[in-house]
């Protein structure tokens, strides 16, 4: 258990004090740490409070916050990260760049077999061209790194329902292996309101081949959430939404075999396990359900 901390979030190159009510509840502001592929590492950095260091991991900017008498790097670890030795790079405005090394432990994820329409696995030239057009846009969206800091790194569940333990699960569609699942599936009835997991700006909305109707929110400094397979989108690009605001409704658009929400959390441009950012579920988690995506 982490002790209570006097916390200041890093914004641009200087520190801004967090209101006292938040500073007294610092452990509730941070994600759970799990140094595994798809997890989060919390790494201390020594340095003066008046100058926030710039930190990168594999060339991507990392969220940094003030944590008592030191800085804290909140590092998203890619699901494809090699187990073993890793390091962040630190630029504190001096000629010599520093590094902080850490170890990434192994984690075994499960395999799920799903049956979907053949056209969603063996893509036609038209569908493949569409996917190739959409991917750069989505990569840019979840790689967003804005100057403002998130109010918290603990998120609220976007919908009530049974959460599958599907993050990191290797999907086998129609007996053909595909990339591991990069989000959490939450079972919910068609039309269930979907709420913003935290306050943020709508980066993008749209209909995508795999994700269906999708909303992406920027919460600041590399923390991005994604909501997929919606039946309706209730927000527009550039709009700011408060935590808990309705942003859409549950559906089964895109590559999905039934109504559910695919919920993704990206940190420094990589999707990590959403469970690390959420309170414990009120309903028991399951290994899978009838949704895909």
């Amino acid at each position: 258990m982490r002790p209570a901390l006097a916390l200041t979030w890093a914004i641009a190159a200087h520190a801004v004090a967090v209101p006292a009510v938040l500073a007294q509840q610092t452990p509730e502001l941070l994600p759970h740490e799990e140094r595994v592929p798809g997890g989060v590492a919390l790494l201390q950095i020594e340095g003066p409070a008046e100058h926030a260091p710039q930190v990168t991991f594999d060339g991507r900017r990392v969220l940094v916050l003030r944590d008592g008498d030191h800085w804290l790097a909140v590092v998203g670890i890619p699901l494809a990260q090699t187990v073993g030795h890793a390091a962040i790079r630190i630029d504190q405005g001096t000629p010599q760049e520093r590094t902080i090394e850490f170890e990434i432990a192994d984690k075994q994820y499960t395999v799920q077999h799903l049956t979907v329409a053949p056209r969603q696995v063996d893509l036609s030239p038209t569908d493949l061209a569409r996917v190739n057009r959409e991917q750069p846009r989505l990569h840019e969206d979840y790689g967003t790194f804005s100057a403002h800091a998130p109010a918290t790194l603990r998120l609220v569940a976007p919908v009530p329902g049974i959460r599958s333990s599907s993050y990191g699960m290797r999907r086998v569609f129609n007996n053909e292996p595909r990339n591991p699942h990069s989000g959490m599936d939450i079972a919910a009835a068609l039309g269930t309101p979907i709420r913003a997991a935290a306050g943020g700006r709508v980066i993008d909305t749209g209909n995508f081949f795999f994700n269906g109707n999708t909303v992406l929110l920027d919460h600041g400094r590399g923390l991005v959430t994604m909501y997929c397979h919606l039946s309706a989108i209730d927000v527009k690009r550039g709009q700011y939404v408060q935590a808990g605001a309705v942003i859409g409704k549950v559906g089964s658009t895109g590559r999905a075999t039934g109504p559910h929400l695919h919920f993704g959390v990206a940190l420094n441009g990589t999707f990590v396990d959403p469970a690390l950012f959420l309170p414990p579920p009120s309903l028991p988690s399951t290994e899978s359900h009838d949704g895909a995506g």
Side-chain angles (χ1 to χ4, degrees):
M1 177 69 68
R2 292 176 58 83
L5 306 170
L7 181 67
T8 302
W9 297 92
I11 300 181
H14 60 282
V16 175
V18 170
V21 66
L22 295 183
Q24 294 169 3
Q25 301 178 22
T26 299
E28 284 70 42
L29 295 177
L30 297 172
H32 298 288
E33 181 176 33
E34 192 173 4
R35 297 183 183 182
V36 299
V40 174
L42 304 177
L43 304 173
Q44 293 186 8
I45 303 171
E46 300 303 323
E50 64 274 11
H51 186 72
Q54 181 171 303
V55 178
T56 58
F57 182 56
D58 287 344
R60 293 184 175 273
R61 287 284 301 274
V62 169
L63 188 153
V64 177
L65 54 88
R66 190 68 184 172
D67 183 357
D69 61 354
H70 57 266
W71 294 96
L72 190 71
V74 184
V75 186
I77 304 171
L79 191 53
Q81 182 73 30
T82 302
V83 171
H85 182 74
I88 57 172
R89 297 186 179 276
I90 306 163
D91 180 358
Q92 292 181 299
T94 60
Q96 187 172 4
E97 187 181 71
R98 295 172 52 202
T99 62
I100 291 181
E101 301 177 351
F102 64 104
E103 293 297 314
I104 298 175
D106 191 17
K107 182 172 182 176
Q108 296 296 316
Y109 293 101
T110 57
V111 177
Q112 182 185 38
H113 294 263
L114 294 167
T115 300
V116 299
R119 66 174 290 272
Q120 293 181 317
V121 178
D122 302 313
L123 303 186
S124 68
T126 299
D127 289 338
L128 182 59
R130 177 184 173 187
V131 169
N132 289 337
R133 289 194 305 270
E134 293 173 348
Q135 289 305 305
R137 172 179 166 184
L138 289 168
H139 288 182
E140 181 178 359
D141 287 341
Y142 64 73
T144 298
F145 193 99
S146 54
H148 69 281
T152 178
L153 293 180
R154 286 291 182 93
L155 306 177
V156 297
V159 292
I162 296 176
R163 305 174 189 171
S164 73
S165 302
S166 60
Y167 177 84
M169 182 180 291
R170 183 164 295 278
R171 292 293 179 76
V172 179
F173 289 103
N174 302 352
N175 296 319
E176 295 186 26
R178 289 296 185 266
N179 291 332
H181 194 235
S182 61
M184 171 188 286
D185 287 339
I186 305 176
L190 182 69
T192 301
I194 299 168
R195 301 182 183 276
R201 178 180 61 88
V202 180
I203 308 170
D204 203 356
T205 67
N207 181 273
F208 301 91
F209 182 81
F210 290 120
N211 297 346
N213 292 329
T214 298
V215 173
L216 293 107
L217 300 181
D218 168 25
H219 306 287
R221 299 191 68 77
L223 178 63
V224 173
T225 54
M226 183 170 73
Y227 312 77
C228 302
H229 307 308
L230 281 59
S231 61
I233 295 174
D234 296 331
V235 291
K236 297 180 180 179
R237 291 186 200 176
Q239 179 180 344
Y240 183 85
V241 296
Q242 300 286 345
V246 174
I247 59 174
K249 296 178 177 62
V250 169
S252 58
T253 57
R255 185 164 71 180
T257 59
H260 72 287
L261 174 67
H262 171 105
F263 177 54
V265 177
L267 195 60
N268 51 269
T270 191
F271 282 107
V272 294
D273 188 353
L276 300 176
F277 297 78
L278 294 173
S282 56
L283 296 170
S285 295
T286 62
E287 285 303 314
S288 63
H289 61 81
D290 63 357

